[in-house]
Amino acid sequence: MRRTPPRRLLAAALLAASLLSPLAAAPATAQPAPAAVHQVKAHCPPGGLGHKLTARLDKAIADVRREAGIPGLTVGLWMPGKGSYVRSTGVADKITGAPMRPDLHARIGSETKTFTVTALLQLVDDGRVRLDDPIAKYIRGVPDGRRITLRHLAEMRSGLFSYTEDDDFVQALLSDPRRPYTPRELLSYAFKHPNNAPPNTTFEYSNTNIVLLGLVIEKVTGRHLADVIHRRVLRPAGMHRTLFPHGAEFPEPHARGYTNQTLSGEVEDATDWNPSWAWAAGAMISDLQDLRRWAPILATGKLLSPETQKQRLKTLPTGHPGTSYGLGIVNSGGWIGHNGSLPGYETVTVYLPSKKATLVLIMNTDVLHEGQEPSSLVARAITEIVTPKNIYDRPAPLN
């Protein structure tokens, strides 16, 4: 059986299909009418990767989108020395039939974690915090907070219960998905539960961890997290179409987003849900070109000292073959970055250092297909073709 939609509720989670393990398929959404393919000529001239390879990618992506019932999908792939591939297929709005386009904004869910942790690591470089400081030094009331360090939080090894797994929180959110939440409200849902494990004993993805790190950043800097990320991360990275929203605002143009993480389990439009409930763990908004810029900056540590980036990339096992987790960063088959998933949207932004290749995916659904995230299905299909020795979210071998 599959977890009910409320129990799957974003964990804004890393490779959620593999690590959170829902076991049965979500009903597929109705297949939208075919829409024109949009091409960005400046970055993907006709035959940019060669006619044969481009045709293989077109077919593989179309097959996954059709099978998984993905309404709209944008793919960006840049491979220095070989070329690039940028395509938008399907619809951005199932009612109007407006086509998906590569210039649309998207909610990026857990990719937000990469920005929050980058801001924290900049404070490490400044000497204002240490990774091995206990969270109790900064935030009171954290269960076992004297033993849980900032490092444990960033690498998902704190053992803290994730507030997004609390039944009362899920009921409250899905009953009124447009209401705002404060970080302290979110933590109150987590801290009424005992910790799941002692610190530094096991990987367990928890949004509670990153909300706490967001509060640490605010306490140390005396500024709102959104302002810190804008000033210290987005502006130096040259990311002018990326933002940390205060509430439900969503810059135009953007696609409508579709989810079945609803009280009824039916697919609904989640475009205007308030993402404040995800805050430091999953509230941000971006677009294809900004995420393209971010992938190599994140993976190579251009905003951090070499030593701090080295610490960030010390990834540890997650329990899923081929996928490990560092300090707010994923290594899946050699591709470094993060994915994002929240009701209505999924994204993947990853960089392959050995090829200096960048892959960005944006889609307007989070409805599982046969227990798997649609973003993982698309990324896997693409990397099986272009980097067969480096497959993103490679499935576990059969016993």
Side-chain angles (χ1 to χ4, degrees), residues 199-217:
N200 202 33
T201 57
T202 186
F203 173 88
E204 188 166 349
Y205 197 88
S206 173
N207 288 311
T208 303
N209 295 335
I210 310 301
V211 169
L212 283 167
L213 293 181
L215 289 174
V216 170
I217 292 167

Side-chain angles (χ1 to χ4, degrees), residues 354-386:
S354 63
K355 304 288 186 183
K356 297 184 178 179
T358 296
L359 174 64
V360 177
L361 305 180
I362 296 172
M363 60 193 66
N364 60 343
T365 186
D366 67 311
V367 177
L368 300 183
H369 175 69
E370 296 182 352
Q372 298 188 69
E373 299 284 335
S375 58
S376 289
L377 295 174
V378 176
R380 187 184 306 156
I382 292 170
T383 55
E384 283 175 343
I385 293 171
V386 298

Side-chain angles (χ1 to χ4, degrees), residues 28-345:
T29 56
Q31 184 63 25
V37 172
H38 292 261
Q39 184 170 307
V40 180
K41 295 184 179 180
H43 300 290
C44 186
L49 287 175
H51 177 74
K52 185 175 180 180
L53 183 55
T54 297
R56 288 183 66 197
L57 288 171
D58 284 345
K59 182 179 185 305
I61 292 167
D63 288 347
V64 173
R65 192 174 73 82
R66 181 175 55 253
E67 181 180 351
I70 300 169
L73 170 66
T74 292
V75 175
L77 174 66
W78 296 269
M79 303 186 73
K82 292 187 176 181
S84 56
Y85 175 98
V86 178
R87 293 285 192 274
S88 286
T89 59
V91 296
D93 188 321
K94 294 199 291 186
I95 293 177
T96 68
M100 195 71 169
R101 305 196 323 251
D103 64 333
L104 300 181
H105 288 89
R107 300 196 186 278
I108 63 172
S110 277
E111 290 197 38
T112 303
K113 293 176 172 66
T114 64
F115 297 94
T116 299
V117 175
T118 296
L120 177 80
L121 295 177
Q122 289 175 325
L123 296 178
V124 172
D125 279 340
D126 292 346
R128 300 174 73 179
V129 303
R130 297 184 309 152
L131 283 171
D132 295 319
D133 285 343
I135 186 61
K137 179 178 178 179
Y138 303 96
I139 308 296
R140 294 180 179 179
V142 180
D144 208 11
R146 294 188 180 278
R147 293 204 302 151
I148 295 171
T149 67
L150 305 188
R151 185 190 302 274
H152 296 150
L153 295 167
E155 64 190 10
M156 300 294 178
R157 297 176 70 85
S158 72
L160 290 169
F161 186 90
S162 181
Y163 64 89
T164 49
E165 291 292 312
D166 177 77
D167 289 333
D168 292 336
F169 167 76
V170 171
Q171 180 68 29
L173 176 61
L174 296 187
S175 297
D176 185 7
R178 300 189 185 214
R179 65 159 284 191
Y181 288 85
T182 68
R184 291 288 183 176
E185 285 181 293
L186 302 177
L187 294 178
S188 69
Y189 287 106
F191 294 167
K192 68 182 185 180
H193 296 271
N195 292 1
N196 291 330
N200 202 33
T201 57
T202 186
F203 173 88
E204 188 166 349
Y205 197 88
S206 173
N207 288 311
T208 303
N209 295 335
I210 310 301
V211 169
L212 283 167
L213 293 181
L215 289 174
V216 170
I217 292 167
E218 291 196 332
K219 182 164 187 178
V220 171
T221 64
R223 292 182 175 272
H224 292 299
L225 177 62
D227 184 47
V228 175
I229 288 176
H230 175 75
R231 290 169 177 263
R232 302 203 57 176
V233 183
L234 299 179
R235 186 182 293 172
M239 299 174 69
H240 304 299
R241 287 169 56 85
T242 302
L243 71 149
F244 196 122
H246 296 289
E249 67 268 24
F250 199 168
E252 295 283 0
H254 59 255
R256 309 303 297 181
Y258 303 97
T259 187
N260 65 347
Q261 295 197 69
T262 58
L263 289 178
S264 68
E266 297 299 315
V267 175
E268 296 179 10
D269 187 325
T271 307
D272 298 317
W273 287 18
N274 189 330
S276 62
W277 65 269
W279 196 53
M284 288 179 67
I285 294 167
S286 191
D287 75 348
L288 178 70
Q289 291 301 332
D290 265 13
L291 293 177
R292 177 194 178 184
R293 292 183 64 86
W294 181 236
I297 291 172
L298 173 66
T300 62
K302 290 184 180 179
L303 299 181
L304 302 174
S305 70
E307 176 56 32
T308 297
Q309 181 68 2
K310 183 179 178 181
Q311 292 289 313
R312 177 170 218 167
L313 295 180
K314 286 184 177 178
T315 59
L316 297 170
T318 63
H320 180 66
T323 297
S324 55
Y325 203 88
L327 301 176
I329 202 165
V330 179
N331 184 322
S332 186
W335 289 89
I336 297 172
H338 217 290
N339 69 324
S341 177
L342 81 169
Y345 299 90

